[in-house]
């Protein structure tokens, strides 16, 4: 079932999501929620979707970065971002630690802030302890774009949106980003927009 993605201004996006018990993870209700979130993410399309974005205050997120999403991007654009395909998976009750605190900044967007994008500094690499869709413990080590996706989705589980972390002067429409800024390196965009 496709779900409605809520937009900024819905209180649930600003609340701390609750952890799930193992019984809850195994329940038909949670398994249905995961399947619906997966379909909703594909439909959007997006590379991640957290339960608060479909109005559910639970610590669940789905992630998948498909090769087909990258087919039109130049190789150096993908390389600069460390972006590679990530298979579908579910993270539940995640605990994140920054394994490389060195920050990298890139433009990112959010399905709950339609039409906008901004430069956001994020840790280069993270480590994650979480449960998967079966309630099995998982340890995830991620760097590059995948690390950014994880940080973005886990922020959602704590009521944080990228606008809380962005460089305000970099905020723009996706349309303008694609027309004017996408072709520039991040350093060139930073210099021209003077966001730091
Ligand atoms: Zn988001």
């Amino acid at each position: 079932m496709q779900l409605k993605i809520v937009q900024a201004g819905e209180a649930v996006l600003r609340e701390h999501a609750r952890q799930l018990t193992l019984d809850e993870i195994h329940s038909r209700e949670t398994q249905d929620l995961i399947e619906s979130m997966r379909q909703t993410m594909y439909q959007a399309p997006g590379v991640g979707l957290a339960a608060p974005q479909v109005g559910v205050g639970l610590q669940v997120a789905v992630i998948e970065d498909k090769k087909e999403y990258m087919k039109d991007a130049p190789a150096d654009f993908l390389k600069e971002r460390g972006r590679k395909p990530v298979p579908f998976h579910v993270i539940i009750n995640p605990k994140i630690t920054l394994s490389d605190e060195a920050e990298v900044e890139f433009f990112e967007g959010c399905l709950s802030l339609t039409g906008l994008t901004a430069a956001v500094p994020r840790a280069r690499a993270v480590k994650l302890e979480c449960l998967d869709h079966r309630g099995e413990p998982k340890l995830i080590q991620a760097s590059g774009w995948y690390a950014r996706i994880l940080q973005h989705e886990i922020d959602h589980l704590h009521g944080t949106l990228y606008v809380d972390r962005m460089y305000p002067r970099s905020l723009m429409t996706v349309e303008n980003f694609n027309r004017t800024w996408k072709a520039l390196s991040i350093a060139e965009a930073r210099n021209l927009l003077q966001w730091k």
Side-chain angles (χ1 to χ4, degrees):
M1 188 175 66
Q2 206 177 314
L3 305 169
K4 181 176 172 249
I5 299 177
V6 301
Q7 294 295 306
E10 289 279 348
V12 67
L13 289 174
R14 290 312 198 169
E15 289 161 4
H16 271 271
R18 177 176 72 74
Q19 295 206 334
L20 282 87
T21 65
L22 280 178
D23 282 347
E24 284 176 319
I25 294 170
H26 297 143
S27 72
R28 162 85 2 222
E29 205 182 345
T30 302
Q31 295 300 315
D32 286 349
L33 172 68
I34 288 169
E35 183 50 33
S36 296
M37 285 173 64
R38 178 178 183 152
Q39 290 172 21
T40 305
M41 173 175 70
Y42 290 161
Q43 190 64 35
V47 296
L49 186 68
Q53 294 184 275
V54 293
V56 177
L58 294 173
Q59 291 194 17
V60 183
V62 294
I63 290 167
E64 180 169 359
D65 200 0
K66 296 184 185 185
K67 202 172 178 181
E68 65 183 79
Y69 298 155
M70 301 166 207
K71 68 179 191 308
D72 296 327
D76 56 346
F77 185 89
L78 296 172
K79 197 176 172 212
E80 190 184 27
R81 284 155 184 75
R83 187 166 174 184
K84 293 174 200 143
V86 177
F88 177 81
H89 64 104
V90 181
I91 59 171
I92 296 175
N93 303 347
K95 283 196 184 61
I96 192 167
T97 37
L98 310 183
S99 36
D100 181 350
E101 292 191 27
E103 284 184 338
V104 278
E105 51 194 51
F106 288 111
F107 280 86
E108 64 181 63
C110 178
L111 297 174
S112 295
L113 288 147
T114 299
L116 295 173
T117 184
V120 182
R122 299 274 187 193
R124 191 184 297 274
V126 296
K127 220 183 277 175
L128 200 75
E129 285 175 64
C130 66
L131 302 176
D132 70 6
H133 64 289
R134 294 193 199 91
E136 303 284 338
K138 293 281 166 206
L139 184 65
I140 297 172
Q141 312 228 38
S143 60
W145 203 252
Y146 181 30
R148 178 170 293 266
I149 296 169
L150 288 170
Q151 290 170 81
H152 180 115
E153 297 312 326
I154 291 165
D155 270 352
H156 273 303
L157 306 181
H158 301 289
T160 297
L161 299 173
Y162 79 75
V163 289
D164 305 336
R165 301 186 186 276
M166 70 178 180
Y167 294 111
R169 291 181 60 89
S170 71
L171 183 66
M172 61 178 66
T173 62
V174 172
E175 198 183 343
N176 282 338
F177 174 74
N178 286 334
R179 195 184 56 207
T180 309
W181 303 95
K182 193 176 181 175
L184 303 185
S185 74
I186 199 76
E188 286 169 324
R190 185 201 304 120
N191 288 340
L192 287 163
L193 291 168
Q194 300 177 9
W195 70 62
K196 196 160 80 175

